[in-house]
């Protein structure tokens, strides 16, 4: 029950901020069929934490992180498109990252993994696409972290995509988001169990990871949604942890249950590397955005933002859309009123599905 | 250089959720003169962290937490009003709290301090006012935590105030605020240095306190303000901490410097008690708000909220204002467009001063 395939990255694989990886690979999954012209591919980057498993398939029937969006007749219509979803370089679901074995030492990289940048994640996806014999994507698409990666993709690889979909992304991390992410990193690195990154695989810094994930979850949603969902409902007695200052409200139990699930899935060092890469991302390192988008050779773009997003504000998506327009790219900007904040793309599939489906169906 | 005075609380002083304090006291400061009719007093409650020192005075010339708001000719005009600011019960700036000596044991209370409620903070202020021979306040006023306390004050002590000013407060903590505060408490209590509350006075859980305060600061401001102030400016070299995942941006240095200042001022257990009291506050425990406000005997009220406030949303202040109006209290609701979020009352003194000054000057 594993639908992952692996693309070997060029060896050496140069990293954006220096140094290089050897024997690195990208885990990916695909849905649908690549057509004879090899021009119907949609490359999908993920947010910070998901694997390449965006949706179920014959080889892996488990639900994916964008279940309901990718499949025959769905918004990413696999009757028409060949959808490729990649696990980000630096992550821990099959692609090479800090938890992978360093071939030079035979031990996990941990903090000896080179500096990771959004540009490296983009290049990992690009090489995966090339390895499949695809010269030009129909569409490059990504939400959140992936919404940064697609902009780097356009800047780094002119002509590599005909269309672009940027969902709740940004051209450069805002100081508010930097503040929140850096606090989460500090919560992890100040957990004595982190041990300077050298924790054992079976003894990760779970307290720090758990609390950091709770904070992450808070930043991914909105106050209005939680008022609606939880109000001041007390915690279920079986969820209450006991001890001084124990949880008392349902919202606390919800955060705890999500955090516990995550701690067992995601490597702490991988999290730290990707989180920092997000803070550091600034498209203008490559030049002025309008010029970059013009050189990218895009025909059209869809930029989606959510007004309740705390972390990637809708004004940031508006800036992306305006620069694309100024570059002569036919751009639809969709500022949505979803109540779910940054995570709306994972929750309000009806609204997002309609926008994305209409955009993908429009080009021919 | 200490302008504090102390009001002895009744012994025993019953706590809202049970148990009682013995030999407890409230630290307070005053500005201006109580008139012969004893009807010109303004009682000011604080936010979570300030002491009673709202402004400089002949006995303490240091700047106060609301410097520029309290004084002759200022918004809280001490030529006309006798202003009393109390340090909250449960805090650590002279009023009895978890860091105080328990007369029963001769040792600090720490977690043996009884459960603290917003209602207890209100009663501490009420008893202080009574000890000064004041039967009815001209105005009871408070921001943030203080904006909860003034509503409890009105509910608990009918007829005790003629007017009320609620600034960035709420009738009941929202789940989003509960989530953020409870994560901050967990950051403190999971610091091994907290030692179940039994840390030594000279070895507090500073790592947890420091990170919790950073998160607090983030929630007190707004994304728009930080974009304006910091953008993506790099950290000053002398502020960079070194080590893996060190701070890189100016906003991180700003948070760190504020946090370090706070850690040396505020007791961790006091923080935990007050923070939890805020989560638990729900005015409806006393009855339906409209009925409570009607019984309170208020003549008029000013309710201020800030549209960029993440923690106490402006819809919460609107609910306070609507209930006051429905109770027949002449109410002004001022939803402000300040960019500084929850902390705007500490920063945008011009806008807040104009609202508060006009309100206080209007009654006679």
């Amino acid at each position: 029950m594993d639908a992952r395939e692996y693309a070997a990255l060029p060896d050496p694989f140069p990293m954006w901020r220096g140094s290089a990886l050897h024997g690195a690979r990208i885990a990916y999954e695909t849905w649908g069929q690549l057509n004879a012209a090899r021009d119907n591919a949609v490359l999908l980057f993920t947010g910070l934490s998901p694997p390449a498993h965006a949706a179920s398939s014959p080889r892996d029937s488990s639900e994916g992180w964008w279940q309901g969006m990718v499949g025959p007749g769905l918004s990413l219509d696999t009757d028409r498109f060949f959808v490729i979803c990649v696990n980000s370089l630096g992550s821990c679901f099959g692609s090479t990252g800090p938890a992978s074995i360093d071939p030079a030492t035979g031990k996990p990289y941990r903090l000896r993994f080179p500096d990771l940048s959004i540009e490296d994640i983009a290049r990992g996806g690009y090489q995966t696409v090339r390895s499949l014999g695809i010269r030009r994507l129909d569409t490059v698409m990504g939400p959140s972290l992936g919404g940064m990666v697609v902009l780097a993709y356009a800047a780094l690889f002119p002509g590599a995509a005909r269309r672009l979909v940027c969902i709740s992304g940004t051209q450069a991390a805002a100081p508010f988001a930097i503040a929140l992410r850096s606090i989460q990193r500090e919560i992890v690195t100040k957990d004595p169990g982190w041990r300077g990154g050298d924790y054992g695989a079976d003894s990760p810094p779970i307290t720090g990871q758990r609390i950091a994930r709770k904070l992450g979850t808070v930043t991914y949603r909105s106050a209005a949604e939680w008022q609606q969902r939880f109000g001041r409902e007390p915690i279920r007695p079986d969820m209450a942890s006991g001890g001084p200052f124990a949880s008392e409200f349902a919202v606390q139990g919800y955060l705890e249950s999500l955090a516990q699930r995550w701690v067992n899935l995601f490597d702490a060092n991988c999290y730290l590397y990707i989180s920092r890469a997000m803070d550091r991302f600034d498209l203008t390192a490559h030049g002025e955005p309008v010029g970059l988008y013009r050189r990218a050779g895009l025909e059209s773009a869809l930029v989606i933002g959510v007004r309740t997003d705390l972390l990637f504000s809708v004004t940031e998506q508006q800036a992306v859309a305006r620069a694309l327009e100024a570059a002569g790219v036919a751009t639809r900007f969709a500022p949505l009123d979803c109540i779910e904040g940054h995570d709306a793309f994972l929750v309000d599939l009806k609204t997002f599905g309609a926008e994305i489906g209409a955009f993908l169906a429009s080009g021919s």
Side-chain angles (χ1 to χ4, degrees), chain A residues 71-88:
Chain A
L74 297 178
S75 299
L76 281 78
D77 185 355
T78 54
D79 287 338
R80 175 172 170 193
F81 296 106
F82 177 60
V83 178
I84 310 155
C85 182
V86 291
N87 181 225
S88 298

Side-chain angles (χ1 to χ4, degrees), chain A residues 114-137:
Chain A
D115 268 11
L116 179 77
S117 302
I118 298 300
E119 285 80 356
D120 302 317
I121 299 173
R123 186 173 296 275
Y126 176 77
Q127 295 292 358
T128 302
V129 166
R130 300 285 289 195
S131 77
L132 293 167
I134 299 162
R135 298 194 69 84
R136 192 179 193 207
L137 294 168

Side-chain angles (χ1 to χ4, degrees), chain A residues 248-269:
Chain A
E248 301 181 3
F249 294 93
V251 68
Q252 294 171 280
Y254 171 74
L255 290 174
E256 180 65 34
S257 62
L258 288 190
Q260 289 189 357
R261 219 185 302 166
W262 190 74
V263 161
N264 294 317
L265 283 176
F266 211 86
D267 177 72
N269 288 335

Side-chain angles (χ1 to χ4, degrees), chain A residues 59-71:
Chain A
R59 284 171 58 195
D60 183 349
S61 62
S62 66
E63 292 218 336
W65 65 266
W66 230 7
Q67 193 70 30
M69 287 289 279
V70 181

